[in-house]
Amino acid sequence: EVQLVESGGGLVQAGGSLRLSCAASGFTFDDYAIGWFRQAPGKEREAVSCISVGDGHTYYTDSVKGRFTISSDNAKNTVYLQMNSLKPEDTAVYYCAADYSNSCLGYDYWGQGTQVTVSS
């Protein structure tokens, strides 16, 4: 059974940091790209970052460049999203997803999400 389980969300003050984790199981981790998305209330889901697990290539949306870092620990089948200098506008439910095409464009599996709340 394929599973993606996010953790690490919480409440933090503006300027603070959080590290999200996405633990994957049930598929060959190295064959996939893993993406992070977020959705704030009343807004569309937004792609935040993505990593090709096999070769380490990464992608970031402009609003998080220089503040967020995506990484993977292949031994643990886990992808991390280190979020620094958090802003109130980063508040959202954060989801991870797995893309077998390894393109960071089409996703096959999704996690349940973890809430991130940044207070001003």
Side-chain angles (χ1 to χ4, degrees), residues 58-95:
T58 58
Y59 157 84
Y60 299 93
T61 194
D62 285 347
S63 62
V64 308
K65 284 180 181 176
R67 300 189 298 124
F68 291 10
T69 303
I70 192 169
S71 62
S72 69
D73 183 336
N74 293 15
K76 295 183 178 180
N77 283 10
T78 300
V79 167
Y80 303 99
L81 186 68
Q82 178 67 43
M83 307 187 296
N84 298 329
S85 302
L86 282 162
K87 304 175 181 180
E89 51 264 44
D90 294 317
T91 295
V93 178
Y94 283 69
Y95 301 89

